[in-house]
Amino acid sequence: MSALALNAASLRYDNGFTALKNVTAQFISGSFTALVGPSGCGKSSLLRLLAGLEQPFIGSVTGLAQSQIGFVFQEPTLLAWRSVADNITLPLQIEGHSPNEIAARLDEALALVGLTDFADALPRQLSGGMKMRVSLARALAKRPPVLLMDEPFAALDELTRFRLDDDLRAIWQQQKCTIIFVTHSVTEAAYLAERALVMQGGEIQKEIAINQTGRDSGFRSAPAFTAACSALSMALGHGTSPGGGA
Amino acid sequence: MRYLLPFLLGLALLTLWEIWVGLAGVPVFVLPAPSLILAALVDNFTALMAALWVTVKVTLLAFVWAVATAVSLAIVFTRARLIEMALYPYVITLQVTPVVAIAPLILIWVGFDNLSRALVIIAWIVAFFPMLTNTVQGLRSVDPQLHDLMTLSGASWWQRLIYLELPAALPAMLTGAKISGGLALIGAVVAEFVAGSGTSTGLAWRIIETGNRLEIATMFASLALLSALGIFLFYLLSFCEWLLLHRWHESFRR
């Protein structure tokens, strides 16, 4: 069953720029898809279309209500005056959940991202990686069937990013949600996803299935990972080096 | 050191003033010695405090009205572009026309029945604009991604205002409030000057009255009280700013 789908959808912004051209794609429930491509190829626009933050100019989106969608932005996008806990519970508060329900979901989300001890901290007291975890926890607290992530770890150092990639995989396996993850990093896409959609010029150029053999331990050194990196780099026109993705 | 240094400087200047006035034999009606000003303050204490209270009331009322109306109008402006387009030129007209020139009109229209209301309106005109522009600027500067977050959470316009826009605009609003607070006092003084004699009995009126009678020491005492009021307002608003922002805002980061 597909959780989300784009049916021959085009997106044009008010300034006349066409960000997406005739895109058709399906996202199966519980799947992990990476959207890969250079800057300005339409990855983020596709995500905004799926989230209902933009409407298609032509075509249609088969989606979910916005309350069913968790969205993680490129920046942590936290409210500086609210504590970690208050940031995480803001969407729940707006949706009008009961205080008990909010408290339970807060504890759950904090545990998932490993920030239980930082509930009362203010965003400015946190590192970049921790802020991103708060942002992820805020999306997870909605218990969304679909998680849309727009280059969430792009601004972080590589070690922090590796750790968050691992955590995200673990959360995905535990929560069994559908994840669509935008990245410009070939290695990150190959490491995280089961499937990558390679985008260029507002179109999906290629769909690449990522062989999951070797997931149990050290996937970064598994042949399947190297092969996926090569395939993605080729599709993006970078030759065969797996080092792509700045 | 931050408090001691200006205090010592002030004390030194007052001492020099006292000595110089005595040595040079400056007439009292040109520049009275600080000791005479202090004596005038003590002698006229009740009358001056009553005058101070009148000015404080006008200033605070004008300030509170300026904040309330400016914030309300700023919210309307950021919600309805058409209303902003229609009203903005008139708001600017009100701002750029010198208040001294409008004041007599306001006194004629409102002042006959209720002078203090006319004074508050004049002071309000002076204090209103910086509060409005700063609030509009603050409300407009909210990160678009935070707006997306509110959209995804299904926030109503009211929730968006309370949870996101007003707290995000708070630093800009407080900057506006500090400017408006000072301007409300200036407006109150201008209003009293223009209103002239009669039922107006604020500090500014005392200054004119004592000037006419050549009671220059009392005039200086009134002036000193006006300055003290201005300084008090500024520090009060700075304290509010600290209270509301120091926990989270970058400007209070050491």
Side-chain angles (χ1 to χ4, degrees):
Chain A
M1 182 192 110
S2 74
L4 293 168
L6 291 174
N7 317 303
S10 295
L11 173 64
R12 183 184 287 176
Y13 287 108
D14 291 342
N15 61 11
F17 176 71
T18 305
L20 292 173
K21 294 168 199 157
N22 197 28
V23 172
T24 297
Q26 299 213 334
F27 302 89
I28 307 292
S29 241
S31 64
F32 199 137
T33 308
L35 294 175
V36 200
S39 298
C41 71
K43 329 185 271 295
S44 298
S45 297
L46 198 158
L47 217 55
R48 293 179 65 81
L49 207 55
L50 289 173
L53 288 171
E54 307 288 348
Q55 298 305 317
F57 170 61
I58 317 172
S60 67
V61 180
T62 313
L64 292 165
Q66 282 175 325
S67 61
Q68 304 274 81
I69 289 173
F71 199 103
V72 182
F73 298 88
Q74 189 167 357
E75 305 291 327
T77 320
L78 303 178
L79 304 181
W81 54 91
R82 291 174 81 103
S83 69
V84 166
D86 289 343
N87 265 288
I88 294 173
T89 55
L90 178 66
L92 306 177
Q93 214 178 328
I94 290 172
E95 284 171 10
H97 293 274
S98 72
N100 287 341
E101 174 75 12
I102 290 177
R105 291 203 192 189
L106 170 66
D107 290 343
E108 176 190 298
L110 282 169
L112 275 172
V113 300
L115 283 179
T116 305
D117 294 339
F118 293 90
D120 297 326
L122 284 166
R124 76 171 190 186
Q125 297 166 315
L126 305 178
S127 68
M130 287 160 95
K131 283 184 200 167
M132 219 54 240
R133 282 173 192 273
V134 178
S135 184
L136 180 58
R138 180 176 58 197
L140 291 170
K142 285 171 86 175
R143 290 187 187 148
V146 172
L147 196 54
L148 304 178
M149 306 181 78
D150 189 3
E151 301 197 47
F153 310 144
L156 303 175
D157 65 272
E158 201 165 29
L159 275 178
T160 309
R161 202 168 76 186
F162 280 1
R163 201 174 307 143
L164 280 166
D165 284 347
D166 286 337
D167 291 352
L168 181 61
R169 280 285 306 191
I171 288 167
W172 171 61
Q173 276 161 342
Q174 196 186 331
Q175 304 284 303
K176 309 205 182 329
C177 51
T178 312
I179 297 184
I180 302 166
F181 189 101
V182 166
T183 177
H184 59 255
S185 162
V186 163
T187 49
E188 193 173 36
Y191 184 69
L192 285 173
E194 303 170 298
R195 170 178 84 136
L197 300 177
V198 178
M199 294 190 67
Q200 218 132 37
E203 296 173 330
I204 295 177
Q205 296 262 310
K206 200 164 182 184
E207 178 177 337
I208 294 173
I210 296 162
N211 186 345
Q212 300 293 299
T213 315
R215 268 292 173 202
D216 306 332
S217 62
F219 190 60
R220 277 182 220 283
S221 52
F225 173 69
T226 320
C229 290
S230 300
L232 282 168
S233 295
M234 288 279 275
L236 286 162
H238 290 321
T240 53
S241 156
Chain B
M1 254 328 183
R2 245 182 88 191
Y3 302 101
L4 190 67
L5 220 56
F7 176 76
L8 287 178
L9 178 70
L11 204 64
L13 286 175
L14 282 175
T15 315
L16 275 177
W17 176 355
E18 182 83 37
I19 294 167
W20 178 71
V21 167
L23 286 180
V26 182
V28 175
F29 57 86
V30 175
L31 184 65
S35 55
L36 287 176
I37 295 170
L38 188 66
L41 182 63
V42 174
D43 291 344
N44 301 289
F45 191 75
T46 321
L48 284 177
M49 281 302 128
L52 175 68
W53 178 235
V54 170
T55 305
V56 165
K57 268 195 299 190
V58 172
T59 305
L60 288 185
L61 266 176
F63 175 67
V64 169
W65 274 108
V67 170
T69 49
V71 171
S72 308
L73 193 62
I75 291 168
V76 171
F77 276 8
T78 49
R79 285 291 189 283
R81 203 80 203 205
L82 282 177
I83 296 181
E84 183 186 11
M85 275 190 223
L87 277 184
Y88 205 65
Y90 299 102
V91 176
I92 292 182
T93 309
L94 197 63
Q95 158 69 13
V96 295
T97 312
V99 73
V100 185
I102 321 174
L105 260 183
I106 293 169
L107 284 167
I108 290 168
W109 289 341
V110 188
F112 275 134
D113 327 324
N114 194 331
L115 183 70
S116 63
R117 187 180 296 162
L119 297 183
V120 170
I121 290 174
I122 294 166
W124 168 82
I125 291 174
V126 184
F128 173 73
F129 197 70
M131 193 64 210
L132 175 74
T133 48
N134 276 282
T135 308
V136 168
Q137 160 88 3
L139 291 172
R140 287 253 160 81
S141 307
V142 179
D143 181 353
Q145 288 199 332
L146 288 173
H147 273 300
D148 286 343
L149 176 75
M150 299 308 272
T151 306
L152 287 166
S153 306
S156 64
W157 83 265
W158 181 245
Q159 288 173 319
R160 199 179 283 263
L161 184 71
I162 298 297
Y163 288 128
L164 174 62
E165 291 174 297
L166 284 180
L170 197 59
M173 285 162 68
L174 287 163
T175 302
K178 273 207 284 195
I179 302 169
S180 283
L183 286 178
L185 178 59
I186 293 177
V189 168
V190 168
E192 283 178 30
F193 276 167
V194 177
S197 64
T199 44
S200 164
T201 50
L203 275 179
W205 169 241
R206 283 272 159 258
I207 288 175
I208 296 184
E209 186 197 28
T210 48
N212 288 343
R213 291 191 198 157
L214 285 183
E215 291 169 7
I216 306 299
T218 316
M219 187 182 173
F220 266 94
S222 310
L223 200 56
L225 283 176
L226 265 183
S227 302
L229 177 57
I231 292 167
F232 172 75
L233 270 178
F234 180 82
Y235 279 106
L236 183 69
L237 289 167
S238 298
F239 176 70
C240 291
E241 193 180 30
W242 178 85
L243 208 62
L244 291 166
L245 301 184
H246 80 279
R247 275 179 67 246
W248 62 274
H249 198 253
E250 290 301 326
S251 60
F252 287 92
R253 193 165 211 169
R254 272 164 304 190

